[in-house]
Amino acid sequence: MFKSLFESAQNSTFRSPFTSVNCQAATPASSSSSDLALADVATPAVTSLDDVSPRKHSPNHNFAAAAAAPLGDSCEFGSNKYFLLCGLGGIISCGSTHTMVVPLDLVKCRLQVDPAKYKSVFNGFRVSLAEEGVRGLGKGWAPTFIGYSMQGLCKFGLYEVFKVIYGDAIGEENAFLYRTGLYLASSASAEFFADIALAPMEAAKVKIQTTPGFAKTLREALPKMTAQEGIGAFYKGLVPLWMRQIPYTMMKFACFERTLELLYKYVVPKPRADCTKGEQLIVTFAAGYIAGVFCAIVSHPADTVVSKLNQAKGASALDVAKQLGWAGLWGGLVPRIVMIGTLTAAQWFIYDAVKVTLRMPRPPPPEMPESLKKKLGVTGEQ
């Protein structure tokens, strides 16, 4: 299975189109296939110009030739190590950023569940500070850090996995032509599993932040929630969480990927290959912020339901939505746009920075395959 996945990654449209070729003498024809495989593993050098196009060889040759990482990279694109490091980048980016905005998240949740008491963002901060002091603004940091670290692991790691699997399933040309759909499908699949990991900690966080006197710490909240509602207390918000997070993540990844393409094509004054890593990270941050604004808008009604649902004992998502009404579903939108815009931009920046730090492959935006260029009669860059 993993060998097949690795082969798919090597043929993916989203792999770097740039291949380094070392001019060396061709391997003698008398060499056995096993010797060729071992030679390929031992060095990243390409022994003939034909090796630049891996689809011209057998799958076994593809796998052997791809086994060695390009010079300077710590791993090969599509390898198990690559996917695991993507998951690590997700842990660092999601866990740290969500924890940093806990005070704003706390006020946002309170605005959603008790608008009569917390009338605005500034009023929410003032009331919260008056009642609980500065320390109170950090309530819920532990479940936030744990929950969103687990979510980040699944979100970013599985997104890369599904992108390779789905891209291989529809073929190289379709993967390029319908790449927006590919981004949407891959991110939705990844988020489905990410939310299962997040749900228990999200439920505990909202309970701590929005129910006065319930609990001050995660250790205090978990046994109380279990005693009152059983294990179901941690997953009763899973469906509305899917309703919130799946559209959010689909927008987060698809909008980011396409915005990145457009920025490099129309805004950045030089090709990505000529940009320094620092300049590339700035472009990443800008694309992430633009994506974050749209993320906040499409997922906000479900976010309001999740906040209210975890506060109201025994209520269903539909009951909460009816109680809030259409206007109530949009409560707290402004602080959430600020929070999610900043959050998403920071996550993409940190995730890309982790890739740079760990010397991971960072493929440029996908290019039209040569076979498709020939079919469409395209001669210039697309």
Side-chain angles (χ1 to χ4, degrees):
M1 173 184 173
F2 293 108
K3 178 176 177 179
S4 175
L5 182 61
F6 190 86
E7 292 170 6
S8 300
Q10 301 315 305
N11 297 329
S12 172
T13 304
F14 305 98
R15 185 189 183 203
S16 173
F18 304 106
T19 306
S20 298
V21 181
N22 293 337
C23 297
Q24 297 179 352
T27 304
S30 59
S31 299
S32 67
S33 60
S34 60
D35 290 336
L36 286 174
L38 290 172
D40 284 337
V41 171
T43 174
V46 179
T47 56
S48 71
L49 291 177
D50 286 341
D51 288 348
V52 175
S53 179
R55 288 186 179 274
K56 295 182 180 179
H57 300 280
S58 67
N60 288 336
H61 183 94
N62 285 347
F63 184 75
L71 185 64
D73 287 345
S74 64
C75 60
E76 179 67 19
F77 177 84
S79 65
N80 291 339
K81 181 179 179 180
Y82 173 79
F83 292 132
L84 287 173
L85 290 179
C86 286
L88 175 62
I91 290 174
I92 296 171
S93 65
C94 291
S96 61
T97 53
H98 277 277
T99 304
M100 285 190 294
V101 296
V102 162
L104 183 58
D105 184 46
L106 177 140
V107 172
K108 182 267 302 179
C109 287
R110 289 178 173 177
L111 274 171
Q112 291 171 328
V113 301
D114 194 355
K117 181 177 180 181
Y118 305 96
K119 296 177 175 60
S120 67
V121 177
F122 296 107
N123 176 260
F125 272 108
R126 186 164 59 250
V127 172
S128 297
L129 283 169
E131 292 182 347
E132 302 174 88
V134 175
R135 189 176 183 134
L137 293 177
K139 287 180 72 173
W141 74 267
T144 297
F145 178 75
I146 296 169
Y148 283 94
S149 292
M150 294 190 295
Q151 186 212 35
L153 168 67
C154 299
K155 185 198 299 261
F156 282 92
L158 292 180
Y159 171 71
E160 301 287 354
V161 172
F162 282 120
K163 192 164 67 169
V164 169
I165 293 174
Y166 295 160
D168 182 62
I170 63 177
E172 183 182 30
E173 294 179 1
N174 286 329
F176 175 80
L177 289 173
Y178 306 107
R179 58 193 181 279
T180 301
L182 179 62
Y183 301 146
L184 292 170
S186 301
S187 56
S189 301
E191 189 61 36
F192 177 86
F193 294 101
D195 289 341
I196 295 174
L198 169 64
M201 293 295 105
E202 177 72 2
K205 173 190 79 77
V206 174
K207 197 75 172 177
I208 291 170
Q209 291 179 336
T210 63
T211 306
F214 179 77
K216 293 183 178 179
T217 65
L218 179 62
R219 286 181 295 176
E220 186 183 352
L222 293 180
K224 281 188 176 182
M225 293 175 69
T226 304
Q228 289 182 4
E229 300 181 69
I231 197 69
F234 301 105
Y235 288 98
K236 71 176 185 178
L238 180 58
V239 172
L241 195 60
W242 277 330
M243 292 169 60
R244 180 189 81 183
Q245 288 297 131
I246 291 179
Y248 164 84
T249 302
M250 292 169 72
M251 185 65 72
K252 175 179 180 174
F253 282 88
C255 186
F256 170 80
E257 298 267 25
R258 295 311 300 261
T259 301
L260 200 65
E261 284 186 46
L262 294 174
L263 288 177
Y264 277 115
K265 190 172 183 178
Y266 298 110
V267 179
V268 180
K270 55 185 176 180
R272 180 184 184 273
D274 296 337
C275 295
T276 65
K277 286 185 170 60
E279 290 170 337
Q280 291 176 11
L281 288 173
I282 292 172
V283 177
T284 295
F285 184 87
Y289 208 102
I290 293 169
V293 173
F294 289 100
C295 288
I297 295 170
V298 301
S299 62
H300 190 74
D303 179 67
T304 304
V305 171
V306 170
S307 297
K308 190 71 175 177
L309 185 65
N310 285 309
Q311 182 205 39
K313 184 178 177 180
S316 68
L318 188 59
D319 292 335
V320 170
K322 287 179 178 179
Q323 179 186 349
L324 289 169
W326 177 252
L329 290 173
W330 296 97
L333 178 60
V334 174
R336 191 159 188 268
I337 285 177
V338 175
M339 183 182 80
I340 296 299
T342 307
L343 201 68
T344 305
Q347 284 177 2
W348 278 115
F349 181 87
I350 293 171
Y351 180 66
D352 209 20
V354 168
K355 283 188 169 184
V356 171
T357 303
L358 298 180
R359 296 185 295 107
M360 296 171 61
R362 299 169 61 244
E367 295 182 354
M368 182 180 291
E370 289 299 323
S371 60
L372 188 58
K373 287 182 180 180
K374 290 177 182 178
K375 287 181 180 179
L376 301 177
V378 176
T379 55
E381 289 188 6
Q382 295 296 310

